[in-house]
Amino acid sequence: MATIVKSIGLKGLEGYVIGVEVQSLSGAEQVSVIGLPDASIKESKDRLKGALHSVTADISGRHIIVLLSPTEQKKNGPMADLAMAIAILKETNQLTGDILESTAFLGALSLDGSIHETEGMLAAVMQAKELGFQHIFVPNNIHGLKTIRNQSMLLPVSNLQQVVDHLNGITRQITFPLIADVDMDQSNEAWGADFSEIIGHEIPKRALITAAAGGHNVLMSGPPGCGKSMLASAFPSILPEMKEKTMIDSFSLYQLAHESRALSSNPPYRHPHHSASAVSLIGGGTTPRPGEVSLAHGGALFLDEMAEFPKKTLDMLRQPIEAGKVTISRVSGTVTYPARFILIGATNPCPCGYKGAKDKYCTCTPKQINSYQQRLSGPILDRMDIHLQLEPISLATHTREHQVDSEMMKAQVSEARNRQYVRYGDDMTNSIVPYETLMKKSPLSSRLRGLLQTWSMTYHFSNRVQVNLIRVARTIADLKGNEMITEHDLDEALGYRFPAHGGKKISMVKE
């Protein structure tokens, strides 16, 4: 009979159980690893020999076959090294202790037997907990162990000998050494601007507070130099801190993408150039890796000069915006990465940028303007909940006095978010809560339903636009502390969605 030991594999950020099955046969000394291993796992046979030698294990005269199941799933990374070593020791009777079914082994091995973490390790630990494992051997220097609740099931080890001694009953208790007490990075990231530094733009600021509070997407249009990029760069400073799972997912996504990011509750902010390829934006490659939409998970994705992005690339955003995740299919398999972000887009009204400007003359022809504006498809525009038309601010008529700073705005956003979490009983905002739940928790009065129907007939709203109007109105009500959506809230939401129609401004309700 063969020996079976459990480890964890990652398919995107979704974990699955890897069964490490080892059989020892007589013959020339050899270690074979089968079960669709990648190159890093194939090389593990040499790492295993060195690590086994560090605990004076003898596999001479044995042909060791290591099968990784499920056999139809391609395995990536050296995370199962520790499980393979333990299974070999158990199969060759050089480890006498019992291994419980509810035990998982995670860690990459060095030739000297030391155990260290590899990419996605923190996510694998979280998945092992969700899969029901009661004892999880992990490297003792994983970044972010303090963020994991119920650490009693974790058994931190620094080398293979410690694992062997613990399983053989020589050492009974394993505790976290000081090296594992990696504090979470709570430092403030250097945002581009504080809202107190931005003069004027009171309505856009109010709209961005609404977007941050409810997770709504925003499209800003205006001539060059009117403040679009500055408003977008200040936007992350008012986003509330990420929840534990979102924070760990974000940290793990950056690891999988081979990008540097500290384990921090501060939301990420991504700002790709308009020359970025579809693969870098959405994710993919021969070995699928997260793209910008996943690296922005839990935070904001800013697309400056949005109309300059290829139309095909922008249309690929539709799935992650709608589903909060992106699925990448390749011959080797399919992976899914989370991608729940707030999209902030900025664009000029025309190729030269000065259509409708008061002090500049537009040189574009109607055909050029129409062609430029059609680069943003209808489905993408439908998914932008808030549309802002910005105009240049005169420094002579505006001052910095009485400017609200980002901390005060963030407090408003956090309070509104908490109302949503309590209402829905989950880490869920108005922008993503199922429509049935939204209507059950915040039903519209007959008067508001009639008003929305009248607007829909007048402005030819799609069903998605009507639903998004209600979602934005619900967020505006949360910012005010209202239990139900009022006509003022719905009117303000309409003003954000259609700041102008037919050249006539839609009046904003003043309170």
Side-chain angles (χ1 to χ4, degrees):
M1 293 181 64
T3 299
I4 300 177
V5 172
K6 304 292 180 60
S7 186
I8 299 294
L10 289 178
K11 193 177 179 182
L13 287 187
E14 179 184 352
Y16 62 93
V17 177
I18 293 180
V20 180
E21 187 174 353
V22 172
Q23 191 171 52
S24 176
L25 305 175
S26 59
E29 180 180 332
Q30 184 180 355
V31 177
S32 303
V33 182
I34 58 177
L36 293 182
D38 69 352
S40 64
I41 299 178
K42 289 179 181 178
E43 292 177 351
S44 65
K45 56 188 178 182
D46 294 318
R47 294 196 300 272
L48 287 172
K49 290 179 181 179
L52 292 172
H53 179 73
S54 72
V55 293
T56 64
D58 182 18
I59 58 172
S60 58
R62 297 175 185 271
H63 180 190
I64 307 295
I65 302 176
V66 181
L67 171 64
L68 305 179
S69 62
T71 54
E72 70 278 6
Q73 174 64 49
K74 186 173 179 62
K75 320 301 185 308
N76 299 295
M79 199 177 300
D81 279 6
L82 178 59
M84 288 191 280
I86 294 300
I88 292 173
L89 290 172
K90 184 66 176 176
E91 173 67 12
T92 56
N93 299 315
Q94 298 179 78
L95 192 155
T96 58
D98 294 329
I99 301 174
L100 301 177
E101 281 285 327
S102 58
T103 302
F105 299 84
L106 305 177
L109 286 173
S110 295
L111 295 177
D112 61 357
S114 61
I115 303 170
H116 55 89
E117 70 170 315
T118 184
E119 62 180 30
M121 183 69 73
L122 192 59
V125 173
M126 296 293 291
Q127 291 298 306
K129 290 180 60 179
E130 292 187 11
L131 290 169
F133 286 98
Q134 300 299 314
H135 309 281
I136 309 169
F137 284 88
V138 297
N140 69 348
N141 60 349
I142 298 180
H143 288 78
L145 281 178
K146 271 193 169 183
T147 65
I148 299 178
R149 299 176 183 176
N150 187 16
Q151 297 182 2
S152 59
M153 64 179 61
L154 302 181
L155 301 169
V157 288
S158 60
N159 55 67
L160 182 58
Q161 187 65 59
Q162 279 187 313
V163 183
V164 173
D165 290 345
H166 181 78
L167 293 175
N168 284 335
I170 298 175
T171 56
R172 293 292 180 183
Q173 186 175 7
I174 299 178
T175 58
F176 286 105
L178 291 177
I179 191 173
D181 293 335
V182 179
D183 290 326
M184 190 173 59
D185 182 10
Q186 294 289 0
S187 60
N188 293 324
E189 297 187 33
W191 306 123
D194 188 284
F195 274 101
S196 62
E197 301 171 2
I198 302 176
I199 298 174
H201 292 308
E202 298 307 322
I203 290 179
K205 287 179 182 178
R206 167 72 176 174
L208 290 177
I209 292 177
T210 304
H216 305 290
N217 302 318
V218 181
L219 177 63
M220 296 183 289
S221 177
C226 67
K228 302 186 296 292
S229 297
M230 182 171 288
L231 286 166
S233 66
F235 181 74
S237 65
I238 65 173
L239 290 176
E241 294 181 352
M242 293 186 290
K243 298 289 187 178
E244 177 190 14
K245 184 179 186 307
T246 305
M247 177 181 63
I248 292 175
D249 285 349
S250 177
F251 178 73
S252 301
L253 286 166
Y254 273 75
Q255 279 192 328
L256 294 175
H258 295 166
E259 290 214 18
S260 175
R261 172 176 166 82
L263 183 66
S264 170
S265 59
N266 291 328
Y269 175 70
R270 303 294 296 184
H271 181 189
H273 191 261
H274 57 75
S275 63
S277 66
V279 170
S280 66
L281 192 64
I282 305 300
T286 305
T287 301
R289 295 195 180 278
E292 293 289 342
V293 295
S294 294
L295 298 179
H297 178 63
L301 175 67
F302 176 43
L303 300 184
D304 199 6
E305 303 296 343
M306 193 171 177
E308 299 296 337
F309 282 81
K311 187 174 181 179
K312 183 179 179 181
T313 301
L314 289 179
D315 284 339
M316 293 175 70
L317 291 171
R318 290 154 62 177
Q319 185 220 4
I321 290 175
E322 201 73 23
K325 58 185 178 181
V326 59
T327 301
I328 303 168
S329 298
R330 294 291 182 269
V331 175
S332 58
T334 300
V335 298
T336 299
Y337 295 115
R340 180 67 66 190
F341 57 91
I342 299 176
L343 176 61
I344 308 293
T347 184
N348 294 328
C350 65
C352 77
Y354 295 108
K355 179 179 180 291
K358 297 177 181 179
D359 55 350
K360 296 281 186 178
Y361 181 74
C362 176
T363 60
C364 305
T365 65
K367 183 178 180 180
Q368 288 175 323
I369 295 173
N370 185 59
S371 176
Y372 184 81
Q373 292 179 346
Q374 285 185 348
R375 293 182 184 180
L376 301 182
S377 65
I380 287 294
L381 291 175
D382 257 9
R383 288 166 170 81
M384 306 304 286
D385 309 321
I386 296 174
H387 292 215
L388 297 175
Q389 290 184 355
L390 275 63
E391 297 179 354
I393 297 297
S394 173
L395 298 180
T397 57
H398 292 79
T399 65
R400 295 185 184 274
E401 295 181 5
H402 310 298
Q403 294 288 327
V404 179
D405 62 21
S406 292
E407 283 300 318
M408 297 176 64
M409 296 169 70
K410 183 176 179 178
Q412 297 178 53
V413 169
S414 298
E415 189 175 346
R417 281 275 183 109
N418 289 332
R419 290 193 180 98
Q420 296 166 59
Y421 298 154
V422 172
R423 182 188 306 120
Y424 306 127
D426 198 358
D427 181 12
M428 196 172 289
T429 59
N430 293 323
S431 64
I432 63 173
V433 67
Y435 178 69
E436 295 76 11
T437 304
L438 179 68
M439 288 293 92
K440 181 179 179 181
K441 298 291 184 179
S442 303
L444 292 179
S445 66
S446 57
R447 171 176 169 75
L448 291 184
R449 287 198 301 271
L451 185 61
L452 184 58
Q453 184 177 9
T454 300
W455 288 345
S456 301
M457 295 176 63
T458 303
Y459 301 119
H460 309 292
F461 293 166
S462 68
N463 290 338
R464 180 182 286 111
V465 170
Q466 295 178 55
V467 171
N468 287 347
L469 278 173
I470 298 173
R471 294 182 185 278
V472 174
R474 177 63 266 180
T475 302
I476 294 170
D478 286 331
L479 285 167
K480 298 176 181 177
N482 296 339
E483 288 295 325
M484 304 302 294
I485 300 173
T486 67
E487 184 176 341
H488 292 76
D489 303 328
L490 199 57
D491 187 70
E492 186 176 345
L494 177 66
Y496 291 151
R497 186 62 179 80
F498 289 90
H501 185 77
K504 182 180 179 180
K505 291 283 183 180
I506 295 176
S507 61
M508 301 290 294
V509 174
K510 303 293 183 181
E511 297 190 350

